[in-house]
Amino acid sequence: MSTIASDGTDLGHDTHDAHDDHDHKPEGFLDRWVFTTNHKDIGTLYLVFALLMFFIGGAMAMVIRAELFMPGMQLVRPDFFNQMTTMHALIMVFGAVMPAWVGFANWMIPLQVGAPDMALPRMNNFSFWILPFAFTMLLSTLFMDSGGPAAGWTLYPPLSLQTGSSFAFVVFAVHMMGISSIMGAINIIATIFNMRAPGMTLLRMPLFVWTWLITAFLLIAAMPVLAGAVTMLLTDHFFGTSFFNAAGGGDPVMFQHIFWFFGHPEVYIMILPAFGVVSEILPTFSRKPLFGYAAMVYATASIAFLSFIVWAHHMFTVGMPLEGELFFMYATMLIAVPTGVKVFNWVSTMWKGSMTFETPMLFAIGFVVLFTIGGLSGLMLAITAADLQYHDTYFVVAHFHYVLVPGAVFTLMAGAYYWLPKWTGNMYSERWGKIHFWCSAIFVNVLFFPQHYLGLAGMPRRIPDYSPQFADFNMWSSIGGFAFGASQLIFVGVIIHCVWFSKKKATAQVWEGAKGLEWTVPSPAPHHTFTKPPVVDDTMVAHADEAH
Amino acid sequence: MKKQNTFIVSLAVLVAVIAAFWLLLAAPAHTGNQINMTRGVSSLAETHYELHMIILWVCVVIGILVFTAMFTSIVLHRKSRGHEAAQFSHSTKAEIAWTVIPVLILVGMAIPGTSALVQMESPGGAEMTVKITGYQWKWRYEYVDDDIAFMSSLAPESNAARQLGSGVDPRAVENYLLDVDNPLVLPVGRKIKFLITADDVIHAWWVPAFGWKRDAVPGYINEGWVEINEPGTYRGQCAELCGMDHGFMPIVVEALPEDEYDAWVSRQQSGSNTGAGAGN
Ligand code: HEM
Ligand SMILES: [Cu+2]
Ligand SMILES: [Cu+2]
């Protein structure tokens, strides 16, 4: 197996072994996992943590859907319901999707650019180990007397300032997550700029590396803004300032501008790496180079730029001047152009390929279809006058769940199935992977599609109870929700089987059509890879020659 | 032969995709539930409904084209059918086309989008003004020119039924959660301006039949307007999370013909100004 690794891949000191014990992994549990500076182990930590958070956030979603199963209040009090919606979003955004992407970055970026590790390994350890503390603190607020935050993940004042003393814990938890993200981003940028193997020019980088590079810049620009916003909330709450208090000369709307200046780039932080993963998987299983590589890079960059000038499309009902509303409408509509380019390029990548439909491919195709639906509803929301009806209804809930669940989350799963054999050295069960896909794909639509109808028919978001006219579709949605949640247990089963029980060994190449440096190292990827840099040439990159 | 094959498959896929869209966008209406935006009872609502339908159709057509291309490829270009992968990786012509055409479509959408917005932002020339103030968790209505003011909160029957474990079936309560003690009474056929603000936290005043919602922000006075076409009762809800009972501060508007409205006003002015609904 190690012969396939060929030159370039240094398998440690004794070239002959890809097996665990000669790998120079640290021995004890603490040394291996707590004090680790190894990008692969830290990547694993991030991914396991993110999966745990998915299930915690998911459990909260189950509470929400159970209460909304039928009209009337059956299970929880309204204030607890609001804590659930708020915590669900905070956990999913900051605890699940973002750390999961950092986990992928840790595992794959060094392997994809031919680097021995991340540029700043100790900081890497630190940025992970902040997270368990941040989320323990955040979750602990649910058990405090004043209860958890209940003002929505957007934390709008004055409402958020009515949170009790637990609010301080929320703010500090957000600060810690922000620090973790910024450190992660710095690390990724430093790795990509300084650690690429000879010949790995920028325009030879796989798209996952490109999209993460751009995402890292978004993180560095956006997270400090969030930190500033919540710090002002903190001082307004505890130290008598009036940043957002109208009675004290402050401005509650100002908070929304600051929040969404962070918030809109944030949604792209969650989706750009997804674009990258899909742009890796579609060529592999189409056995055809990615269509329009350069256009993909430029489209990603322009989406990133535009994401900083569209924030107020979340605030169309707040009472802006006409000129402002028009500007933000036009700017938001513009985002549809590079987003469209991406979708068209993905379809063209598949066109005239020689496709097979292993689980990663199924999730990637599911992504393209369902993300497109979410993008189209985004385009509708961009039209200000129509948004005066859509805003703050279930139509918006449907929009962002389409882009986030079958968008970001499906690609996380696609990526997990795609690289699991490389991580573990074993093949996962293709049959159960496919069952997982079909259950997820069907139930995610039962869960979220009816929410479009509910929103258009007039159901506001963030309410614990509703008029019986909304009963039927809420029931569909809840049934879809429970089934979707249950389907994710299959995923855990597949992972456990793959890591510990699967008898089918993976080759280094794993997938027939896979190209790129990560497929030149053995499976499982040894603890240390590329300690001698590989030599990169055009045949190794996943797209045709870089000129295009 | 090969070409023909592609054509027939894409036609079949097109039919399937259209059927899927019909299933998602039209069929659920047959359950007897409302699945689309209301046309409403004002010119603004009508405009917003039409705008919504235009952009919805544009999105549907784009969706049908993209998915047809994609699923045609999925049917035809599989390894299991022995399809060999082509190796092309770009086409300047196609890339220019699918950048420029979407821009043109967007311009086409922006034009009605802009004019609708201009109409919305023209509250001038109003014949009467109502000031709306959001409180946790009720509304206050103040008829600025007529010296009438009252609070409007969730109707007692709904309020009793919505308590955790009340044991009351919501379906047995008339207009569950969409009923108030004192509705806002308005005339048909007059241009009415609303001044919208809040006293504690942010709320949003929304009656779907009027075509818009607007945030009620402490320290700000936002404007909105309506000219109601038809008498009737129109229901809405607070649309901005405002705390524990955000789901329980509905809005009810009773739209009366002008003469009945004027009669209502004089009745209010002769009686006490605090809290009396229509039809009493
Ligand atoms: C074609 C691209 C997109 C457009 C034009 C678009 C447009 C919009 C608009 C106008 C809103 C505000 C709706 C309202 O509150 O009334 C919105 C909400 C939202 N969008 Fe998108 N969007 C797009 C793509 C995305 C993507 C890719 C994501 C994330 C992966 C995303 C996540 C969200 C979220 C989370 C919200 C709701 C935030 C909240 O209020 O809590 N959107 N989108
Ligand atoms: Cu946005
Ligand atoms: Cu409210």
Side-chain angles (χ1 to χ4, degrees):
Chain A
M1 198 192 285
S2 46
T3 43
I4 308 174
S6 73
D7 30 9
T9 315
D10 189 323
L11 303 174
H13 304 281
D14 36 15
T15 356
H16 259 290
D17 214 320
H19 297 288
D20 303 6
D21 13 20
H22 302 284
D23 231 12
H24 296 264
K25 285 195 184 89
E27 302 271 302
F29 181 84
L30 278 184
D31 282 341
R32 172 82 197 270
W33 296 109
V34 180
F35 302 121
T36 178
T37 54
N38 179 283
H39 73 103
K40 300 184 183 82
D41 287 348
I42 294 176
T44 303
L45 286 172
Y46 265 110
L47 290 170
V48 170
F49 176 80
L51 193 61
L52 179 69
M53 287 295 138
F54 265 122
F55 281 95
I56 295 178
M60 294 172 179
M62 295 300 106
V63 173
I64 295 169
R65 281 316 325 169
E67 178 55 62
L68 292 174
F69 185 73
M70 53 189 194
M73 300 295 295
Q74 291 88 21
L75 301 172
V76 296
R77 284 176 208 294
D79 53 330
F80 187 72
F81 181 90
N82 291 344
Q83 292 177 32
M84 286 292 102
T85 55
T86 305
M87 283 294 228
H88 162 72
L90 290 172
I91 300 270
M92 287 304 198
V93 170
F94 296 102
V97 176
M98 291 172 70
W101 284 130
V102 182
F104 275 92
N106 261 295
W107 251 105
M108 299 320 299
I109 288 176
L111 284 179
Q112 291 191 321
V113 301
D117 205 307
M118 297 295 279
L120 308 160
R122 287 197 182 78
M123 190 166 91
N124 205 11
N125 173 294
F126 189 39
S127 66
F128 170 76
W129 278 107
I130 287 177
L131 288 178
F133 295 96
F135 283 90
T136 306
M137 190 146 94
L138 181 64
L139 285 166
S140 72
T141 60
L142 287 175
F143 304 99
M144 295 180 185
D145 284 346
S146 56
W153 81 287
T154 49
L155 299 174
Y156 282 4
L159 182 62
S160 60
L161 300 176
Q162 294 182 348
T163 316
S165 49
S166 69
F167 192 64
F169 293 86
V170 177
V171 169
F172 286 130
V174 171
H175 279 150
M176 285 164 75
M177 295 163 203
I179 291 170
S180 164
S181 295
I182 291 170
M183 292 199 302
I186 291 172
N187 211 346
I188 285 164
I189 293 173
T191 306
I192 295 174
F193 280 157
N194 298 314
M195 312 263 296
R196 298 196 313 280
M200 180 55 77
T201 56
L202 283 178
L203 283 177
R204 268 184 184 155
M205 295 194 313
L207 259 168
F208 179 66
V209 180
W210 256 117
T211 51
W212 237 120
L213 178 64
I214 292 168
T215 303
F217 279 101
L218 290 185
L219 276 169
I220 289 181
M223 296 309 288
V225 179
L226 175 67
V230 296
T231 306
M232 286 186 271
L233 286 179
L234 185 79
T235 61
D236 270 11
H237 191 309
F238 295 102
F239 305 122
T241 56
S242 298
F243 290 108
F244 306 126
N245 175 5
D251 183 349
V253 175
M254 191 62 191
F255 176 85
Q256 301 186 17
H257 284 290
I258 301 171
F259 181 87
W260 288 114
F261 187 83
F262 145 81
H264 189 82
E266 170 65 24
V267 306
Y268 282 96
I269 287 165
M270 292 188 278
I271 203 70
L272 292 186
F275 291 170
V277 168
V278 169
S279 305
E280 310 270 317
I281 291 175
L282 290 178
T284 296
F285 296 96
S286 306
R287 294 165 181 75
K288 191 166 156 280
L290 180 70
F291 188 92
Y293 171 82
M296 288 298 219
V297 172
Y298 297 134
T300 309
S302 35
I303 290 175
F305 167 75
L306 287 172
S307 75
F308 281 106
I309 58 163
V310 298
W311 75 88
H313 65 215
H314 296 274
M315 305 164 54
F316 281 145
T317 63
V318 89
M320 279 183 288
L322 177 63
E323 296 75 13
E325 291 180 327
L326 288 175
F327 170 81
F328 286 108
M329 171 167 82
Y330 300 148
T332 305
M333 292 173 79
L334 270 186
I335 292 201
V337 176
T339 310
V341 166
K342 290 205 157 271
V343 172
F344 301 140
N345 283 356
W346 288 323
V347 174
S348 307
T349 302
M350 295 161 69
W351 190 256
K352 289 199 192 298
S354 176
M355 281 186 264
T356 50
F357 301 92
E358 290 85 346
T359 311
M361 181 67 161
L362 290 177
F363 272 103
I365 290 173
F367 163 86
V368 177
V369 173
L370 300 175
F371 175 80
T372 301
I373 294 178
L376 290 172
S377 62
L379 184 58
M380 297 175 72
L381 293 167
I383 311 297
T384 311
D387 186 61
L388 299 182
Q389 287 280 40
Y390 308 138
H391 178 70
D392 262 330
T393 67
Y394 261 86
F395 191 80
V396 178
V397 178
H399 158 68
F400 66 74
H401 281 97
Y402 263 84
V403 283
L404 285 172
V405 182
V409 175
F410 270 30
T411 41
L412 283 165
M413 287 164 179
Y417 283 110
Y418 187 53
W419 284 307
L420 256 182
K422 177 57 64 190
W423 297 338
T424 64
N426 300 327
M427 295 306 284
Y428 59 85
S429 159
E430 198 59 62
R431 156 198 275 256
W432 282 99
K434 285 182 175 158
I435 294 174
H436 173 221
F437 168 75
W438 284 109
C439 289
S440 300
I442 291 167
F443 295 129
V444 85
N445 285 293
V446 179
L447 167 56
F448 293 121
F449 209 87
Q451 297 185 355
H452 291 109
Y453 316 140
L454 287 170
L456 292 175
M459 178 167 163
R461 67 192 278 206
R462 294 169 163 167
I463 56 174
D465 194 6
Y466 48 83
S467 148
Q469 77 190 76
F470 303 124
D472 287 3
F473 292 131
N474 270 298
M475 191 175 285
W476 291 22
S477 183
S478 288
I479 291 171
F482 303 143
F484 182 81
S487 308
Q488 303 321 309
L489 299 174
I490 303 174
F491 186 46
V492 178
V494 174
I495 294 174
I496 291 175
H497 169 262
C498 178
V499 176
W500 285 294
F501 301 102
S502 172
K503 301 245 154 43
K504 212 170 146 207
K505 296 294 161 209
T507 62
Q509 171 79 12
V510 184
W511 311 109
E512 188 188 34
K515 279 190 171 177
L517 283 179
E518 76 259 42
W519 310 109
T520 64
V521 306
S523 305
H527 201 58
H528 295 289
T529 36
F530 299 128
T531 42
K532 274 203 226 94
V535 180
V536 180
D537 61 58
D538 267 344
T539 60
M540 289 176 180
V541 293
H543 46 89
D545 63 310
E546 73 236 42
H548 301 301
Chain B
M1 181 66 207
K2 202 95 204 285
K3 263 243 155 77
Q4 215 175 11
N5 197 5
T6 308
F7 181 73
I8 292 170
V9 169
S10 52
L11 215 61
V13 171
L14 177 69
V15 171
V17 170
I18 291 177
F21 268 82
W22 178 84
L23 207 69
L24 286 176
L25 297 179
H30 295 292
T31 60
N33 289 288
Q34 183 186 348
I35 64 164
N36 201 0
M37 187 186 286
T38 173
R39 269 176 184 281
V41 291
S42 75
S43 58
L44 280 177
E46 182 84 25
T47 309
H48 293 172
Y49 172 80
E50 274 161 13
L51 186 61
H52 159 71
M53 290 313 285
I54 294 172
I55 52 185
L56 179 61
W57 274 109
V58 171
C59 288
V60 166
V61 171
I62 295 173
I64 288 176
L65 293 178
V66 172
F67 297 149
T68 302
M70 187 169 162
F71 283 102
T72 302
S73 181
I74 289 174
V75 172
L76 288 175
H77 309 143
R78 349 172 125 228
K79 196 181 174 199
S80 59
R81 296 177 55 135
H83 193 272
E84 304 244 341
Q87 291 301 315
F88 64 84
S89 69
H90 78 293
S91 149
T92 313
K93 258 193 219 151
E95 288 178 76
I96 290 177
W98 66 49
T99 310
V100 174
I101 296 173
V103 171
L104 297 179
I105 297 174
L106 291 180
V107 172
M109 290 163 72
I111 292 168
T114 304
S115 67
L117 200 56
V118 171
Q119 188 190 7
M120 171 73 204
E121 300 297 346
S122 314
E127 294 156 80
M128 62 178 276
T129 303
V130 177
K131 184 176 172 209
I132 302 172
T133 311
Y135 294 83
Q136 284 175 317
W137 292 275
K138 51 189 177 284
W139 297 98
R140 178 183 160 85
Y141 299 115
E142 202 177 326
Y143 294 69
V144 175
D145 324 281
D146 295 314
D147 195 28
I148 303 172
F150 55 85
M151 287 285 187
S152 176
S153 356
L154 183 65
E157 303 77 31
S158 287
N159 197 32
R162 65 105 177 175
Q163 302 301 327
L164 189 61
S166 72
V168 181
D169 178 7
R171 284 169 226 259
V173 180
E174 213 186 336
N175 295 313
Y176 177 62
L177 297 189
L178 293 180
D179 206 7
V180 296
D181 49 5
N182 303 307
L184 173 64
V185 179
L186 294 176
V188 166
R190 276 188 210 161
K191 185 163 181 178
I192 304 156
K193 181 159 109 175
F194 298 109
L195 300 176
I196 304 167
T197 185
D199 187 62
D200 35 40
V201 301
I202 303 174
H203 306 261
W205 197 80
W206 182 34
V207 176
F210 295 172
W212 51 267
K213 64 179 68 68
R214 187 121 283 181
D215 290 0
V217 186
Y220 277 77
I221 295 179
N222 277 327
E223 291 184 349
W225 67 274
V226 68
E227 188 171 331
I228 307 170
N229 298 330
E230 283 167 43
T233 307
Y234 306 113
R235 297 171 198 279
Q237 282 174 272
C238 177
E240 176 64 54
L241 178 62
C242 57
M244 191 168 74
D245 284 349
H246 163 58
F248 308 103
M249 50 181 292
I251 295 151
V252 178
V253 173
E254 198 101 22
L256 303 178
E258 289 202 75
D259 47 347
E260 286 180 38
Y261 171 76
D262 290 333
W264 177 83
V265 168
S266 35
R267 239 181 305 137
Q268 292 301 306
Q269 286 169 333
S270 58
S272 84
N273 287 347
T274 43
N280 41 347

